[in-house]
């Protein structure tokens, strides 16, 4: 009896003793592993102080990772930083776009702060062999500059903007963290200075699956030089799908002939192998092959460099906002640095019935991202889509039309300085007075034509407003501040049914080409108008002067089409403020929209407008 009792008492003590011995052995093994790791590192890395550069660790080629090009990783700090895998670089006139591939587990990490762009000096042929074989380079062989900006591009990629390379340095840029003390770049080591960035003059830059069965792909290409107003011959183009790693000769290629080509968009059917295994091929590169006749005899094929990937356009709406039916009315725009006005534009048009917003951000560097996030949190159903491609508004709208097909019955394509407006009806003879159209009037207007088998586009005239005597931006918003305009309307903007847009996606910013059997409707001026605050105070207009986003509209500074309605009459090509700027373009005082806004949207007790309230939540 006593023996059994002693066993019951001793058994737990014995188990505790064994566990303690196990933990001690485990600690010992961990310590030994750590010392072995240090021994290994000391035999494969050499530490060198180089000039004014910090002490850096230069790895031998045998321990370089082979999984990614231009990879940079913190090996010396107390913690591991996410690996910066440069997937592609695109050389623009005044900057370099770097596309990063992020690890799935780290794609939500904030990037941008604490990063440098690293450029390598342009070597001659004799320098190249010595650099590759000996890895014996000095601080003079590299230049570094702080990045300009960084942003999340899509689900697994980021973009970083770098300054243009210094003189005699390559545009093939790498990235590193500020406090990193080394530069690691396998591709540079293996291939030397021959690697160059893609040029924005000729590159396939975007791709999106389309069609009801996702059986086609639209490839967006810069440099095709196709006519802006008509369809081109698709037989001169084909799509090339690169599957695998072409840089390591471990890839195979599929092709398909183009079915349409217009402006910057070439559309091809997906090869059956890709279509049947779409999940496996998403993320692979796609480009365009151009075929041309040479002296009428033989054909010359040119492969367009590409950074475009096979990508399915997915809804970015919150789950709570998705429904079984399409939104009646959506809006799409492309913006640059419009944080100060986009809040007014969205809240005003949401009151009129716009239910869904696609904002294409064309490299803004103001607070636009945070303003859009605030609007989305305020249940305005706004999506910001990063669109880094300069001078490509038509292509961006084509891309937006593809996104909207699955979500919207109608889409309005217009700018953030354009406001849809319902003029008040004239006084009735019976003394009943006039009444403004009420809330959701915009959505009800287009809903009348949703079941039409003919009408697929609604066009509205625009009136262009001037500075209206102001010398600084109006404090309460565009609609209340600018009240003087030109007498005659200019052009029009459109609301379109995305399912009726022509397969070419051909558009002229203001309107799309429709499929056969559909036509547009011009709204009478007394029904609806658009107030276009085109010529604002000089400090705002000057920024517009320096930056045009449309592909086929001449830059303000170019001596072309100086009489065009896309320009400011009499301004010319110099960004010099005319002495009478604040009084220009003022032929008719028009307070109609100002009165409409104050009547319908101002708070009765405070007089504040919704966009004047600090927080929307």
């Amino acid at each position: 009896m006593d023996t059994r009792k002693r066993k019951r008492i001793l058994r737990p003590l014995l188990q505790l003793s064994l566990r303690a011995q196990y933990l001690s052995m485990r600690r010992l093994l961990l310590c030994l592993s750590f010392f072995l790791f240090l021994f290994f590192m000391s035999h494969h890395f050499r530490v060198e102080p180089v000039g004014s550069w910090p002490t850096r660790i230069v790895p031998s080629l045998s321990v370089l990772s082979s999984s990614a090009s231009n990879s940079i990783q913190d090996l010396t700090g107390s913690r591991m930083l996410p690996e910066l895998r440069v997937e592609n670089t695109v050389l623009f006139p005044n900057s370099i776009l770097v596309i990063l591939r992020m690890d799935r587990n780290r794609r939500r990490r904030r990037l941008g702060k604490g990063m440098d762009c690293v450029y390598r000096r342009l070597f001659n042929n004799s320098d190249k062999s010595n650099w590759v074989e000996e890895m014996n380079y000095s601080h003079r062989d590299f230049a570094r500059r702080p990045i300009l900006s960084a942003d999340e591009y899509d689900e697994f990629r980021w973009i970083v903007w770098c300054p243009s390379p210094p003189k005699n340095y390559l545009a093939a840029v790498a990235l590193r963290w500020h406090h990193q003390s080394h530069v690691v770049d396998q591709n540079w080591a293996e291939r030397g200075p021959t690697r160059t960035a893609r040029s924005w003059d000729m590159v396939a830059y975007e791709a999106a699956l389309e069609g009801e069965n996702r059986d086609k792909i639209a490839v967006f290409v810069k440099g095709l030089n196709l006519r802006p107003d008509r369809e081109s011959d698709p037989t001169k183009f084909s799509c090339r799908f690169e599957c695998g790693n072409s840089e390591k000769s471990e890839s195979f290629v599929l092709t398909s002939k183009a079915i349409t080509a217009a402006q910057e968009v070439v559309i091809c059917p997906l090869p059956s192998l890709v279509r049947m295994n779409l999940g496996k091929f998403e993320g692979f590169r796609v480009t365009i092959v151009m075929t041309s006749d040479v002296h009428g005899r033989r054909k010359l094929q040119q492969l367009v460099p590409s950074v475009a990937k096979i990508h399915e356009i997915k809804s970015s709406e919150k789950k709570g906002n998705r429904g079984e039916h399409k939104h009646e009315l959506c809006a799409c725009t492309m913006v640059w640095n419009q944080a100060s006005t986009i809040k007014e534009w969205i809240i005003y048009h949401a009151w009129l019935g716009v239910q869904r917003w696609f904002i294409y951000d064309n490299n803004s560097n103001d607070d636009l991202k945070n303003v859009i996030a605030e609007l989305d949190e305020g249940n305005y159903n706004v999506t910001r889509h990063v669109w880094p491609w300069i001078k490509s508004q038509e292509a961006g709208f084509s891309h937006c039309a593809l996104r909207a097909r699955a979500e919207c019955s109608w889409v309005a394509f217009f700018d953030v300085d354009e406001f849809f407006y319902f003029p008040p009806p004239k006084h009735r003879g019976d003394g009943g007075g006039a009444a403004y159209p009420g809330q959701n009037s915009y959505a009800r207007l287009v809903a009348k034509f949703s079941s039409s088998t003919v009408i697929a586009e609604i066009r509205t005239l625009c009136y262009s407003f001037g500075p209206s005597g102001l010398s600084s931006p109006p404090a309460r918003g565009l609609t209340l501040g600018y009240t003087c305009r030109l007498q005659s309307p200019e052009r029009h903007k459109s609301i379109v049914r995305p399912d009726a847009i022509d397969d070419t996606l051909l558009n002229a910013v203001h309107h799309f080409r429709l499929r056969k059997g559909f036509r547009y409707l011009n709204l009478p001026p007394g029904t609806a108008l658009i107030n276009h605050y085109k010529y604002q105070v000089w400090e705002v207009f000057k920024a517009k002067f320096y930056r045009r986003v449309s592909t086929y509209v001449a830059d303000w500074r170019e001596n072309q089409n100086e009489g065009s309605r896309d320009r400011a009459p009499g301004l010319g090509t110099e960004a010099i403020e005319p002495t009478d700027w604040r009084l220009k373009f003022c032929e008719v005082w028009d307070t109609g929209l100002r009165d409409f806004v104050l009547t319908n949207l101002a708070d009765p007790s405070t007089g504040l407008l919704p966009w004047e309230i600090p927080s929307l939540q």
Side-chain angles (χ1 to χ4, degrees):
M1 186 71 177
D2 293 338
T3 301
R4 287 195 299 270
K5 187 175 181 179
R6 283 196 299 271
K7 287 182 178 180
R8 285 196 302 270
I9 294 172
L10 292 174
R11 186 177 293 114
L13 294 175
L14 181 61
Q15 290 174 348
L16 288 173
S17 177
L18 291 172
R19 184 175 299 174
Q21 293 178 20
Y22 169 76
L23 292 175
S24 298
M25 289 295 294
R26 184 180 180 187
R27 292 191 187 98
L28 180 60
L29 288 172
L30 288 174
C31 289
L32 288 174
S33 299
F34 177 72
F35 283 114
L36 286 172
F37 173 75
L38 291 179
F39 178 80
F40 171 80
M41 294 287 285
S42 66
H43 281 72
H44 286 80
F45 293 81
R46 62 182 185 272
V47 181
E48 300 179 25
V50 181
S52 61
W53 277 54
T55 300
R56 62 194 173 99
I57 296 179
V58 183
S60 66
L61 290 177
S62 62
V63 297
L64 282 170
S65 169
S66 61
S67 60
S69 64
N70 294 4
S71 62
I72 301 176
Q73 194 171 21
D74 187 4
L75 301 173
T76 61
S78 59
R79 61 187 176 85
M80 296 291 286
L81 289 171
E83 192 174 7
L84 305 180
R85 303 180 178 183
V86 177
E87 187 175 85
N88 279 295
T89 53
V90 181
L91 181 61
F92 285 84
N94 300 311
S95 56
I96 299 175
L97 176 66
V98 182
I99 302 176
L100 298 177
R101 183 170 70 254
M102 290 297 295
D103 185 275
R104 288 172 179 262
N105 298 324
R106 291 164 173 163
R107 65 179 183 270
R108 295 299 176 191
R109 177 185 173 88
R110 263 181 92 97
L111 288 182
K113 293 184 178 179
M115 287 200 298
D116 287 327
C117 304
V118 182
Y119 314 84
R120 187 165 64 77
R121 184 168 62 86
L122 181 62
F123 292 88
N124 58 36
N125 291 334
S126 60
D127 290 336
K128 175 183 174 181
S129 59
N130 292 334
W131 185 83
V132 175
E133 293 175 4
E134 301 178 13
M135 295 288 286
N136 186 23
Y137 45 87
S138 71
H139 71 282
R140 293 186 302 274
D141 298 332
F142 292 96
R144 55 178 178 172
R145 301 287 186 272
I147 68 168
L148 301 175
S149 63
D151 208 341
E152 189 173 0
Y153 183 38
D154 55 31
E155 190 175 3
F156 301 114
R157 291 186 295 174
W158 285 72
I159 58 173
V160 173
W161 285 99
C162 289
S164 296
K167 187 177 181 180
N168 296 327
Y169 283 80
L170 292 172
V173 66
L175 298 171
R176 70 171 215 166
W177 301 102
H178 278 330
H179 60 275
Q180 274 183 296
S181 57
H182 68 287
V183 176
V184 178
D185 191 327
Q186 182 190 6
N187 267 358
W188 284 357
E190 291 180 349
R191 296 195 293 184
T194 57
R195 180 180 174 88
T196 58
R198 313 294 189 191
S199 172
W200 178 236
D201 293 334
M202 173 66 76
V203 64
Y205 58 90
E206 195 81 47
L209 297 177
E210 67 127 343
E212 294 182 2
N213 301 317
R214 300 180 301 171
D215 56 353
K216 294 182 289 185
I217 190 165
V219 185
F220 297 78
V221 189
K222 199 74 175 180
L224 297 183
N225 297 321
L226 304 183
R227 292 289 298 271
D229 55 350
R230 66 188 64 178
E231 185 177 0
S232 299
D233 182 6
T235 62
K236 297 181 179 180
F237 305 97
S238 61
C239 293
R240 173 187 168 104
F241 304 84
E242 297 178 359
C243 308
N245 193 335
S246 59
E247 295 178 354
K248 296 184 177 182
S249 300
E250 297 173 355
S251 66
F252 63 95
V253 173
L254 300 172
T255 60
S256 64
K257 295 182 178 180
I259 52 179
T260 68
Q263 293 177 331
E264 292 186 359
V265 185
V266 177
I267 298 179
C268 300
L270 285 177
S272 57
L273 180 62
V274 177
R275 188 174 65 252
M276 295 170 61
N277 300 276
L278 195 53
K280 297 180 180 179
F281 283 92
E282 190 168 7
F284 284 105
R285 184 170 296 162
V286 60
T287 190
I288 297 299
V289 178
M290 299 188 298
T291 303
S292 57
D293 295 331
V294 178
H295 304 302
R297 296 181 179 180
R298 60 188 180 89
K299 293 184 177 180
L300 178 67
Q301 289 191 331
Q302 180 181 359
L303 183 67
V304 178
S306 176
V307 300
K309 297 294 187 72
I310 300 175
H311 180 62
E312 180 181 4
I313 296 178
K314 299 174 183 178
S315 174
S316 49
E317 278 192 288
K318 295 178 180 178
K319 291 183 179 179
N321 292 331
R322 299 176 191 172
E324 296 180 359
H325 303 288
K326 291 183 178 181
H327 299 294
E328 190 66 54
L329 179 59
C330 303
C332 180
T333 193
M334 184 174 292
V335 299
W336 173 74
N337 285 1
Q338 294 292 339
S340 61
T341 58
I342 198 168
K343 192 173 179 181
E344 175 186 10
W345 185 73
I346 287 179
I347 293 175
Y348 169 77
H349 288 99
W351 187 86
L352 285 178
V354 177
Q355 302 157 328
R356 178 82 169 93
W357 303 86
F358 303 96
I359 310 299
Y360 277 56
D361 186 352
N362 194 216
N363 305 312
S364 298
N365 55 20
D366 60 356
D367 198 38
L368 180 71
K369 183 177 181 179
N370 293 329
V371 173
I372 290 177
E374 180 189 359
L375 288 163
D376 194 43
E377 290 297 325
N379 294 320
Y380 281 93
N381 202 6
V382 186
T383 297
R384 172 176 169 267
H385 181 81
V386 175
W387 188 262
W389 317 112
I390 63 174
K391 292 285 286 181
S392 60
Q393 187 175 21
E394 290 83 356
F397 279 7
S398 294
H399 191 274
C400 188
L402 293 178
R403 297 183 70 193
R405 278 179 178 173
E407 300 183 39
C408 311
S409 297
W410 294 83
V411 185
F413 290 89
F414 59 133
D415 300 328
V416 295
D417 59 356
E418 297 166 345
F419 286 74
F420 199 88
Y421 166 49
F422 290 95
K426 296 181 180 180
H427 289 276
R428 296 199 302 253
D430 58 3
Y436 284 113
Q439 192 171 3
N440 294 319
S441 297
Y442 201 1
R444 287 197 296 269
L445 171 67
V446 298
K448 295 178 181 179
F449 302 98
S450 293
S451 59
S452 173
T453 58
V454 178
I455 303 299
E457 183 181 14
I458 300 172
R459 296 183 177 182
T460 311
L461 286 175
C462 296
Y463 280 99
S464 296
F465 280 68
S468 305
L470 302 177
S471 56
S472 60
R476 304 196 67 189
L478 305 182
T479 53
L480 268 63
Y482 297 112
T483 54
C484 198
R485 61 171 173 82
L486 297 173
Q487 185 171 9
S488 300
E490 290 184 334
R491 293 190 170 178
H492 61 267
K493 293 299 170 76
S494 69
I495 316 162
V496 66
R497 284 171 51 182
D499 59 351
I501 291 176
D502 188 74
D503 291 339
T504 60
L505 303 177
L506 187 66
N507 71 87
V509 176
H510 306 291
H511 60 86
F512 279 82
R513 174 184 287 185
L514 302 175
R515 290 194 283 113
K516 291 183 179 180
F518 291 96
R519 63 179 180 85
Y520 62 85
L521 171 72
N522 286 320
L523 287 178
T527 303
L529 296 169
I530 286 179
N531 279 12
H532 184 186
Y533 301 110
K534 182 175 181 179
Y535 310 113
Q536 299 182 36
V537 297
W538 181 254
E539 67 176 89
V540 176
F541 185 83
K542 185 178 180 180
K544 183 178 181 180
F545 179 96
Y546 277 116
R547 196 177 192 278
R548 304 303 299 271
V549 297
S550 177
T551 311
Y552 303 104
V553 175
D555 190 279
W556 288 107
R557 292 163 290 179
E558 294 179 2
N559 188 19
Q560 299 178 23
N561 302 323
E562 292 190 42
S564 169
R565 286 178 292 179
D566 289 306
R567 292 181 174 273
L571 183 63
T573 59
E574 299 291 333
I576 300 174
E577 181 179 4
T579 55
D580 61 341
W581 178 261
R582 66 187 185 90
L583 301 175
K584 289 179 72 67
F585 318 109
C586 182
E587 297 176 350
V588 177
W589 287 96
D590 183 348
T591 63
L593 182 51
R594 183 195 68 181
D595 299 337
F596 180 88
V597 167
L598 291 173
T599 300
N600 289 282
L601 281 82
D603 185 276
S605 58
T606 65
L608 291 176
L609 297 165
W611 47 89
E612 295 179 297
I613 300 172
S615 177
L616 299 174
Q617 300 181 30

